[in-house]
Amino acid sequence: GQSVFAVEIVDDLVIAVERPTNIITALNLKDGSLAWKTLIGEPLESFFGPVGDEEYIYVSSSRRMFKLLRRNGQTDSVYNLPLPVTMTPLLVDNIAVFGSINGKVYGFDVEEGYRKWTYGLSGRINSTPLLDGEDVFVVDADGRYVMITAKSGDVQWRGSTFGDISADPVLNGREIYLASEDQSLYSFTANTGELRWPAYRSEVALSQTPAVRNDVIFLPEPSLGLTAIDADTGKAIWQTTDVVQPVASVDGKVIAFAEKTLKKIEPATGEVLQTVPTREIQLILNGPGNSLLLVTPGGEIMRVDPRR
């Protein structure tokens, strides 16, 4: 009756969060052996994904943050959060940046346990914020976005799209890509917020997160398929009706996932070079050395490395 809600790689550990039991499990990334396992929170308290640094792993529910010792998973501190949150935070040194239900973004000091700054957007924050060095890009459900310095809360730039946002923003070098339900894909320069090229216009509302591999943007277009877009110009390179999600890049080729299938794709043409069947997969993470972590709905975690 339980499932793996979130899995994150924190340096040399793989941290898994289960629901509804609130069991936190740490595996050694190298060989998958158990590092530690711990139970946190109350029975009805659901936790989001973890973040961590050299000493601690931080796991938060909507109203509390647990600070766990990285070496053994024991609870070091428990902090009450000032505003209810909706997601895993981003960690910049000692500041965890959260998005909240009422549109507030805030920086929380994980060493002292207090809110350091707050910035208000108009809508609920559903999309995962994006980390660019020491700055955080946040977009709300209404399409308003802002770039904030994580340690101080200072605003670098802001703007808005013309539709709702349900996809996560994506960073590629110094560029940010944002898919909007106003049928547009936007490309911003990360340090100024200026548009790099006129928005790519789709025939449908864009609600899924794009991926960037080898300077090609792979944009899922609901009911249409997958479109490859040149990241420098914003022009479409090719389109396919296959419903696939690019997840990695190996030796210049793109690895994409469809239902129970991994595909190797030539990024310049969209040609499928190889197809490998898999089991049903719930989550896919990029690991070291072009490896992939595959998480099944039943809670199994597998590491897959490219054949040498």
Side-chain angles (χ1 to χ4, degrees), residues 87-93 95-99 105-107 117 119 121 125 127-139 145-158 169 171 174 176 190:
M87 64 190 59
T88 301
L90 294 177
L91 188 64
V92 180
D93 293 334
I95 302 299
V97 179
F98 286 98
V105 185
Y106 63 92
W117 56 262
Y119 179 85
L121 289 165
I125 300 173
S127 301
T128 304
L130 187 68
L131 184 62
D132 176 37
E134 294 190 350
D135 295 329
V136 176
F137 178 81
V138 187
V139 59
Y145 53 80
V146 63
M147 181 71 88
I148 301 175
T149 299
K151 293 183 179 181
S152 64
D154 294 337
V155 173
Q156 303 300 315
W157 47 268
R158 72 191 91 192
L171 180 68
R174 300 302 301 151
I176 294 173

Side-chain angles (χ1 to χ4, degrees), residues 20-151:
T21 56
N22 298 336
I23 294 174
I24 314 299
T25 302
L27 306 176
N28 291 302
L29 178 59
K30 182 178 180 180
D31 58 9
S33 60
L34 179 66
W36 49 260
K37 184 187 291 279
T38 190
L39 176 66
I40 62 175
E42 303 295 332
L44 298 180
E45 191 173 11
S46 296
F47 286 83
F48 302 106
V51 293
D53 55 30
E54 294 180 353
E55 293 187 66
Y56 301 102
I57 301 295
Y58 305 92
V59 188
S60 58
S61 66
S62 62
R63 293 187 176 274
R64 294 199 294 174
M65 169 179 277
F66 282 69
K67 184 177 180 180
L68 310 178
L69 293 173
R70 177 188 174 91
R71 64 179 183 271
N72 57 20
Q74 291 184 1
T75 299
D76 177 87
S77 304
V78 180
Y79 300 129
N80 291 319
L81 297 174
L83 295 169
V85 302
T86 56
M87 64 190 59
T88 301
L90 294 177
L91 188 64
V92 180
D93 293 334
N94 63 313
I95 302 299
V97 179
F98 286 98
S100 68
I101 295 173
N102 61 3
K104 294 289 194 304
V105 185
Y106 63 92
F108 187 83
D109 189 311
V110 297
E111 291 182 355
E112 303 296 332
Y114 72 97
R115 177 174 51 179
K116 189 171 184 179
W117 56 262
T118 304
Y119 179 85
L121 289 165
S122 62
R124 180 186 177 101
I125 300 173
N126 296 323
S127 301
T128 304
L130 187 68
L131 184 62
D132 176 37
E134 294 190 350
D135 295 329
V136 176
F137 178 81
V138 187
V139 59
D140 70 15
D142 296 332
R144 292 176 177 83
Y145 53 80
V146 63
M147 181 71 88
I148 301 175
T149 299
K151 293 183 179 181

Side-chain angles (χ1 to χ4, degrees), residues 242 244 254-266 270-278 307:
D242 290 340
V244 296
V254 172
I255 307 299
F257 177 71
E259 185 177 359
K260 296 185 178 182
T261 306
L262 286 173
K263 296 184 178 183
K264 182 187 290 186
I265 297 175
E266 171 57 57
E271 178 186 0
V272 177
L273 304 175
Q274 186 179 2
T275 299
V276 179
T278 70
R307 180 177 294 171

Side-chain angles (χ1 to χ4, degrees), residues 100-258:
S100 68
I101 295 173
N102 61 3
K104 294 289 194 304
V105 185
Y106 63 92
F108 187 83
D109 189 311
V110 297
E111 291 182 355
E112 303 296 332
Y114 72 97
R115 177 174 51 179
K116 189 171 184 179
W117 56 262
T118 304
Y119 179 85
L121 289 165
S122 62
R124 180 186 177 101
I125 300 173
N126 296 323
S127 301
T128 304
L130 187 68
L131 184 62
D132 176 37
E134 294 190 350
D135 295 329
V136 176
F137 178 81
V138 187
V139 59
D140 70 15
D142 296 332
R144 292 176 177 83
Y145 53 80
V146 63
M147 181 71 88
I148 301 175
T149 299
K151 293 183 179 181
S152 64
D154 294 337
V155 173
Q156 303 300 315
W157 47 268
R158 72 191 91 192
S160 66
T161 67
F162 297 97
D164 295 342
I165 299 291
S166 51
D168 291 339
V170 176
L171 180 68
N172 180 45
R174 300 302 301 151
E175 285 77 49
I176 294 173
Y177 305 107
L178 181 63
S180 170
E181 293 184 25
D182 65 8
Q183 301 179 218
S184 300
L185 175 70
Y186 297 90
S187 172
F188 308 106
T189 301
N191 60 339
T192 65
E194 295 179 356
L195 287 173
R196 296 180 59 245
W197 29 259
Y200 170 83
R201 293 285 294 169
S202 173
E203 297 177 13
V204 297
L206 301 176
S207 58
Q208 295 177 253
T209 302
V212 185
R213 300 284 183 260
N214 303 329
D215 291 325
V216 176
I217 306 167
F218 295 90
L219 178 66
E221 298 187 74
S223 77
L224 296 181
L226 183 71
T227 300
I229 299 170
D230 189 310
D232 290 327
T233 65
K235 304 295 185 182
I237 303 172
W238 50 261
Q239 294 177 310
T240 176
T241 56
D242 290 340
V243 181
V244 296
Q245 179 65 48
V247 294
S249 179
V250 178
D251 296 331
K253 310 303 180 185
V254 172
I255 307 299
F257 177 71

Side-chain angles (χ1 to χ4, degrees), residues 278-281 292-296 300-304:
T278 70
R279 299 162 61 185
E280 186 176 356
I281 302 298
L292 297 175
L293 290 187
L294 311 179
V295 184
T296 72
E300 292 178 287
I301 303 176
M302 298 170 284
R303 174 171 167 169
V304 180

